[in-house]
Amino acid sequence: MKKQSWPLHDVRHWLEPGPVVLLSSHWQGQNNIMTLGWHTILEFSPSLVGCMISAGNASFSRIRQSGECVINLPEASMIDTISRIGNCTGDDVDKFAEFGLTTEKSDKVSAPSIKECFGQFECRLYDDAMVDNYNFFIFEVVAARVNPQPEWPQTLHYVGGGVFRTDGDVLERKALFTKVS
Amino acid sequence: MKKQSWPLHDVRHWLEPGPVVLLSSHWQGQNNIMTLGWHTILEFSPSLVGCMISAGNASFSRIRQSGECVINLPEASMIDTISRIGNCTGDDVDKFAEFGLTTEKSDKVSAPSIKECFGQFECRLYDDAMVDNYNFFIFEVVAARVNPQPEWPQTLHYVGGGVFRTDGDVLERKALFTKVS
């Protein structure tokens, strides 16, 4: 994969459809990964993403204390790894080693990116005002890169109960948009 | 459609995959509808959903003042209506009349549901602490119902620029989940 820079104001192209993502983090010499499905775009510029990271995850305190993470976008073909990452804890397991994933140096954060994922969105914690009450982290995406091919990779969308849906057809209705955003 | 009640703690089944939804609202005798793509599940019980409703929408103040709305889930076949609703304003147009949609009385909120949508999640404003800074509304889903067939309806996922993706295949990996949630 030869990933290319992606405009920060258009991170929504990848995350708004609601894909399952892998959050990678780094704290006190240890890397970790978690699977996440509860996130939403919040703003174009600055490029803000909100993530609900349950406090039960080993990643919760690591991300809060380091103030950084990377949102990695995996293709649907990684479904087994995605499922397994979500069903063990970084307190017991080095998930990069356990699942044969490769750390890739990030541009702007100390958290590593996951080389096998086709998209990476490096994040800094922007506002933690909702963390105590809702475990809801507001991140600013400070660097983004995506593998340019295929144009429409298959991602996963979680529905609970160990079941995912993939992406389907692409439908275009530009003519109905008065201001395209 | 014969919609059936859906468990409040499992609203995530429908909203976690990231579908485009239609928010219906009611304030001072007027109904309105807006198209929304920026939302995330926040909690199972109480059933919480966070929605970023841009302050430029006519719905913003109506939903904030009434403290209520309905998240309606449309099938992908409504793509033209979904696009058009997102590209006009309730200040100028009665969107139910303009787009031939039918109001359906809701169970617990005064905002009407949209009969043509296959799922309805009635919401009360639960926390507006993030509205001033981020236009981010935290709603509690207080009633939910879904048409039971088809089991896997096609929804839309917006990517910007007047382009949507639909849903694809259903993949099951229950065996890899230690605790199914």
Side-chain angles (χ1 to χ4, degrees), chain A residues 16-17 38-40 80 87 127 130 134 153 157-158 161-162 164-166 168-169 171 173-174 177-178 180-181, chain B residues 16-17 38-40 80 87 127 130 134 153 157-158 161-162 164-166 168-169 171 173-174 177-178 180-181:
Chain A
E16 180 171 341
W38 293 10
H39 59 80
T40 181
D80 288 353
N87 284 277
D127 192 334
M130 298 301 267
Y134 296 99
H157 302 258
Y158 194 53
F164 303 84
R165 294 191 83 173
T166 61
D169 295 337
L171 304 177
R173 286 297 186 279
K174 285 176 197 170
F177 282 67
T178 51
V180 173
S181 68
Chain B
E16 180 171 341
W38 292 10
H39 59 81
T40 181
D80 289 352
N87 284 277
D127 191 335
M130 296 301 265
Y134 297 99
H157 302 258
Y158 194 52
F164 303 84
R165 294 191 83 172
T166 61
D169 294 338
L171 303 178
R173 286 296 186 279
K174 283 174 199 172
F177 281 69
T178 51
V180 173
S181 68

Side-chain angles (χ1 to χ4, degrees), chain B residues 5-24:
Chain B
S5 180
W6 188 265
L8 295 182
H9 69 267
D10 193 37
V11 165
R12 68 92 67 91
H13 176 88
W14 299 105
L15 298 186
E16 180 171 341
V20 171
V21 298
L22 298 174
L23 288 195
S24 51

Side-chain angles (χ1 to χ4, degrees), chain A residues 122-161:
Chain A
E122 300 181 15
C123 294
R124 289 206 187 106
L125 184 54
Y126 184 83
D127 192 334
D128 70 352
M130 298 301 267
V131 172
D132 286 340
N133 284 346
Y134 296 99
N135 299 335
F136 189 68
F137 292 67
I138 298 179
F139 295 114
E140 178 178 2
V141 182
V142 294
R145 60 192 165 276
V146 177
N147 196 42
Q149 294 296 333
E151 184 180 0
W152 298 104
Q154 283 282 323
T155 65
L156 294 174
H157 302 258
Y158 194 53
V159 299

Side-chain angles (χ1 to χ4, degrees), chain B residues 85-102:
Chain B
I85 286 173
N87 284 277
C88 64
T89 171
D91 288 335
D92 302 334
V93 175
D94 175 342
K95 297 196 191 182
F96 278 95
E98 178 78 11
F99 300 111
L101 297 172
T102 313

Side-chain angles (χ1 to χ4, degrees), chain B:
Chain B
M1 285 193 276
K2 290 189 178 175
K3 293 163 196 165
Q4 296 178 358
S5 180
W6 188 265
L8 295 182
H9 69 267
D10 193 37
V11 165
R12 68 92 67 91
H13 176 88
W14 299 105
L15 298 186
E16 180 171 341
V20 171
V21 298
L22 298 174
L23 288 195
S24 51
S25 57
H26 180 86
W27 178 243
Q28 292 185 333
Q30 287 191 312
N31 298 321
N32 198 19
I33 313 174
M34 69 171 285
T35 301
L36 182 88
W38 292 10
H39 59 81
T40 181
I41 292 288
L42 289 172
E43 185 54 278
F44 297 104
S45 298
S47 179
L48 301 184
V49 182
C51 296
M52 191 288 196
I53 301 173
S54 178
N57 288 286
S59 295
F60 177 90
S61 61
R62 297 170 193 215
I63 290 173
R64 191 168 196 185
Q65 290 178 284
S66 67
E68 294 179 350
C69 68
V70 180
I71 300 173
N72 301 272
L73 198 39
E75 286 200 72
S77 58
M78 290 175 68
I79 185 170
D80 289 352
T81 298
I82 290 164
S83 299
R84 290 191 170 104
I85 286 173
N87 284 277
C88 64
T89 171
D91 288 335
D92 302 334
V93 175
D94 175 342
K95 297 196 191 182
F96 278 95
E98 178 78 11
F99 300 111
L101 297 172
T102 313
T103 59
E104 191 169 67
K105 190 170 167 15
S106 298
D107 287 339
K108 300 208 170 175
V109 301
S110 59
S113 295
I114 302 172
K115 188 177 180 182
E116 288 76 7
C117 290
F118 72 89
Q120 273 121 29
F121 307 95
E122 300 181 16
C123 294
R124 288 205 187 106
L125 184 54
Y126 184 83
D127 191 335
D128 70 350
M130 296 301 265
V131 173
D132 286 339
N133 284 346
Y134 297 99
N135 299 333
F136 189 67
F137 292 68
I138 298 178
F139 295 114
E140 179 178 2
V141 182
V142 294
R145 60 193 164 276
V146 177
N147 196 44
Q149 293 296 333
E151 184 181 359
W152 297 104
Q154 283 282 324
T155 64
L156 294 174
H157 302 258
Y158 194 52
V159 298
V163 178
F164 303 84
R165 294 191 83 172
T166 61
D167 294 307
D169 294 338
V170 176
L171 303 178
E172 181 267 300
R173 286 296 186 279
K174 283 174 199 172
L176 299 181
F177 281 69
T178 51
K179 51 178 196 310
V180 173
S181 68

